[in-house]
């Protein structure tokens, strides 16, 4: 039995190593080319950092499915599930009798998902008129509004181009593109709900969870199920992995809302408590309102740049007293446990173990 | 020999009939659903009108390829080229020996292309801060900036979802998605060049034509080649149709730039001469500068809402004197002839005749 600290360090190390590979892959899939300013703006946020959690989920799921040791196989020449195993059976395979398929580039799928994430951040920052992201100016601040809209639009189609080039069989590529397209549609729907909630004071827990599922969780779900789609896993495996991603994605967003209140601004890379200032609905505010807290007047300042740390401290204390932060923590924990249980469809191997630990990490992380 | 007037009326009638079918198809492929405000904003420009020229090119190309009488076959149950002809050969077919494929929904491809066009208009209007489009307020004016960005983003992924559902064979669907994704990337690149040209006074004819190819012509090229891709035509046919679309698309944009100067504001649905006010580079201004015209000072007013008709009249007179409008007309005519010549790969039928006439119409239209 390893200690919690040792376990967390092992997860961080696993994330770090995959992040390095993803960081190497991004310029390969998305080189700066003419018109340079457009591509520089498209790469700006991608190059500014990011934990690459979604690509890590995707690459680790691929390893678990292929039943290979973590980091032992080149992600750009990755085995599918089409080859029969030594005992003549296939692991979760759909058509073991079909002829052996060429290897696929599962890194392309990982980069595609991160590129979609980056496109949504660029456009979201315009919509929220946020100044900072990942500790650097938002793209529409570093460049301008036109360039930021276009950079997001360019990343959007590039994500599809990159996903089209994994080398997977055509029917699986079609299915992967369908996952990608419907995921993007749901993200837009979720963002639209999020914007509309800012003007409402009667958002229910159910509505909030629906919004979070669409805005955030579907991209985790896509990340977890795409390797299964591209490698030719059966529908039961694909569905279970989608469910795992949906659960941990919702937990991730709930934890993100908690961290917006509890982590110092320097570590967050943006103003702590900005959600409260911008009147964003979170599970915490929805719960607090149910407890009789006057959520709309928790923070009087309406400008993120003008709010004081003391004002945020007072608001957080109120939300702790009402049990709302604890409620959010508990909900995130339940979702993570639900998601972990779904991984029983995977072979019992080190990569699956890592997916279980990644789920815990999403709600135990400090930022 | 029919008269030019009779020919133009026949083209307009053909466009009108296809437009009606496309207008019926759009709500089927893009119903208003939750969140309603998002989908209403996404449909706003599509419902406001539009000539549906790109879908018309696509549907008519499909008819020419299938060698069927115009409007005689349901676009949603359209034949592919997989069936051998009575004499045992296939028309432009890739694999006549393969088993008969089910019919495909070529209307989906037509709607997908129109949805992409609509997404680019919504985002372009934000970037140019234009107030009017098709005689109605731009989406970011009728709704707001957030909703307009999101409506465009929603249409973007919906176009891919719709193109994924034509029922074509997986390898052809993959190729069609590749055409769609690379087309979107090029449109973004072209728009980026267009924006950067506004700050430059030394744009060459070659640079202008490159920009127009990317910003406008590639979507015509996609429209012309996509039925060939989805129906299983050979590469020579696909390439020739792509070239036809590229040529008539460039001609269309050049003519659009001419019309911006010569058609009354009421007919245009926006202020006449707005390109000059906004300092947009067109083939006309590039040519005029080469002739020594002080293009930057043709119109002193910098606000589209404040410019007078007299000021535009003077500018247009100068551009006519320098031969620049005539030069643009001639270039558009040459491109149309070049594009028409490429249609020799198609069977000689009524639909091909219509594609030839459509090419002429693009530069003879009054608005």
């Amino acid at each position: 039995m390893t200690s919690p600290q040792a376990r967390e360090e092992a997860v961080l190390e696993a994330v770090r190593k995959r992040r390095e590979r993803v960081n190497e892959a991004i310029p390969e899939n998305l080189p700066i080319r003419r018109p340079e300013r457009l591509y520089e703006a498209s790469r700006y946020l991608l190059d500014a950092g990011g934990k690459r959690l979604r690509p890590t989920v995707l690459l680790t799921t691929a390893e678990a499915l292929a039943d290979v040791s973590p980091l032992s196989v080149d992600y750009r020449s990755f085995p599918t599930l089409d080859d029969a195993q030594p005992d003549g059976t296939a692991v979760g395979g759909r058509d073991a009798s079909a002829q052996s398929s060429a290897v696929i580039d599962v890194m392309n799928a990982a980069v595609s998902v991160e590129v979609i994430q980056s496109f949504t951040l660029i456009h979201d920052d315009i919509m929220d008129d946020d100044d900072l992201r990942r500790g650097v100016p938002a793209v529409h601040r570093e460049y301008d509004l036109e360039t930021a809209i276009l950079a997001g639009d360019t990343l959007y189609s590039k994500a599809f181009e990159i996903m089209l080039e994994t080398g997977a069989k055509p029917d699986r590529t079609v299915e992967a593109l369908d996952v990608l397209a419907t995921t993007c549609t749901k993200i837009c729907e979720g963002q639209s709900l999020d914007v509309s909630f800012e003007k409402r004071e009667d958002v229910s827990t159910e509505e909030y969870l629906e919004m979070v599922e669409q805005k955030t969780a579907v991209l985790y779900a896509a990340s977890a199920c795409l390797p299964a789609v591209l490698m030719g896993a059966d529908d039961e495996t694909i569905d279970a992995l989608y469910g795992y991603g949906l659960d941990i994605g919702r937990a991730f967003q709930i934890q993100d809302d908690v961290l917006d209140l509890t982590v110092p601004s320097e570590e967050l890379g943006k103003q702590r408590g900005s959600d409260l200032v911008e009147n964003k609905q979170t599970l915490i505010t929805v719960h607090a309102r149910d407890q009789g807290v006057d959520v709309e007047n928790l923070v009087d300042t309406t400008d993120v740049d003008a709010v004081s740390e003391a004002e945020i401290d007072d608001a957080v204390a109120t939300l702790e007293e009402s049990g709302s932060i604890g409620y959010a923590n508990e909900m995130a924990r339940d979702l993570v446990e639900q998601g972990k249980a779904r991984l029983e469809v995977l072979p019992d191997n080190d990569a699956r173990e890592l997916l279980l630990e990644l789920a815990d990490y999403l709600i135990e992380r400090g930022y």
Side-chain angles (χ1 to χ4, degrees), chain A:
Chain A
M1 200 65 190
T2 47
S3 69
Q5 289 77 7
R7 276 211 345 264
E8 190 182 335
E9 272 169 36
V11 174
L12 287 175
E13 179 70 3
V15 171
R16 189 184 62 73
K17 284 184 174 162
R18 282 163 186 79
R19 179 167 63 232
E20 281 173 9
R21 307 256 179 121
V22 173
N23 288 349
E24 281 168 26
I26 288 171
E28 294 168 3
N29 284 116
L30 204 66
I32 306 287
R33 60 178 217 195
R34 193 158 183 276
E36 281 78 10
R37 187 178 156 85
L38 175 64
Y39 280 94
E40 283 162 9
S42 301
R43 281 271 299 280
Y44 183 73
L45 258 191
L46 282 163
D47 292 350
K51 292 184 284 294
R52 318 295 189 211
L53 291 174
R54 295 160 195 81
T56 295
V57 166
L58 191 150
L59 296 170
T60 310
T61 306
E63 291 172 327
L65 283 164
D67 206 10
V68 298
S69 295
L71 300 166
S72 68
V73 178
D74 182 0
Y75 291 124
R76 292 213 184 273
S77 307
F78 207 80
T80 67
L81 302 179
D82 297 325
D83 294 316
Q85 297 299 296
D87 65 354
T89 64
V91 178
R94 226 173 229 172
D95 46 336
S97 61
Q99 68 183 80
S100 235
S101 165
V103 291
I104 66 167
D105 185 340
V106 75
M107 179 59 87
N108 262 29
V111 171
S112 174
V113 163
E114 187 70 5
V115 166
I116 288 291
Q117 167 67 4
S118 191
F119 131 65
T120 64
L121 294 180
I122 294 174
H123 281 189
D124 283 3
D125 285 343
I126 300 173
M127 290 182 241
D128 296 338
D129 202 18
D130 281 338
D131 295 330
L132 282 178
R133 170 73 71 173
R134 292 177 177 165
V136 298
V139 175
H140 67 286
R141 289 270 171 263
E142 179 69 18
Y143 294 82
D144 49 57
L145 177 68
E146 292 98 317
T147 306
I149 291 175
L150 269 181
D153 290 346
T154 304
L155 291 174
Y156 210 151
S157 52
K158 277 288 165 190
F160 283 87
E161 285 188 47
I162 294 165
M163 188 67 82
L164 279 161
E165 285 163 13
T166 64
K169 291 181 178 176
D171 56 336
R172 295 175 188 168
T173 299
V174 167
E175 198 175 336
L177 269 283
D178 191 38
V179 169
L180 198 65
T182 53
T183 297
C184 291
T185 300
K186 283 180 191 151
I187 291 172
C188 293
E189 292 173 358
Q191 174 69 7
S192 174
L193 288 178
D194 197 15
V195 170
S196 71
F197 286 177
E198 285 169 38
K199 289 158 203 144
R200 285 179 47 195
E201 301 182 5
D202 59 348
V203 176
S204 68
T205 305
E206 289 68 34
E207 285 180 304
Y208 170 80
L209 288 175
E210 182 200 11
M211 181 274 283
V212 161
E213 177 175 321
Q214 295 185 331
K215 185 183 151 190
T216 304
V218 289
L219 196 55
Y220 276 95
S223 302
C225 85
L226 277 166
V229 169
L230 292 165
M231 292 161 68
D234 56 38
D235 287 344
E236 185 198 348
T237 304
I238 292 171
D239 291 347
L241 288 170
Y242 192 88
Y244 162 78
L246 219 47
D247 287 335
I248 68 169
R250 284 186 290 187
F252 171 85
Q253 183 62 55
I254 292 169
Q255 176 70 3
D256 230 40
D257 295 341
V258 172
L259 295 178
D260 183 76
L261 297 174
T262 57
V263 173
S265 303
E266 310 83 63
E267 283 179 51
L268 272 181
K270 59 174 186 173
Q271 174 61 51
R272 181 173 66 109
S274 62
D275 288 349
L276 287 179
V277 180
E278 290 166 357
N279 214 21
K280 281 216 177 286
Q281 301 297 325
T282 66
L283 191 62
I284 301 155
T285 59
V286 170
H287 178 273
R289 190 177 294 111
D290 284 348
Q291 304 303 307
V293 175
D294 183 6
V295 170
E296 277 61 42
N297 294 310
L298 270 175
V299 174
D300 291 330
T301 311
T302 56
D303 180 357
V304 172
D305 296 329
V307 76
S308 72
E309 290 294 321
E311 201 173 5
I312 301 292
D313 283 340
D314 287 348
V316 171
T318 304
L319 295 170
E320 268 169 356
E321 276 162 34
S322 66
S324 306
I325 292 178
Y327 172 79
N329 279 328
E330 196 178 325
M331 173 87 81
R333 162 59 53 203
D334 288 349
L335 284 167
V336 160
E337 290 307 322
Q338 182 174 300
K340 285 160 71 177
R342 296 186 199 272
L343 295 185
E344 279 170 24
V345 293
L346 291 174
D348 183 6
N349 54 32
D350 286 350
R352 185 181 79 162
E353 190 60 30
L354 186 52
L355 288 174
L356 294 168
E357 287 165 0
L358 263 171
D360 287 326
Y361 168 72
L362 288 186
I363 55 167
E364 286 163 9
R365 71 203 159 97
Y367 64 96

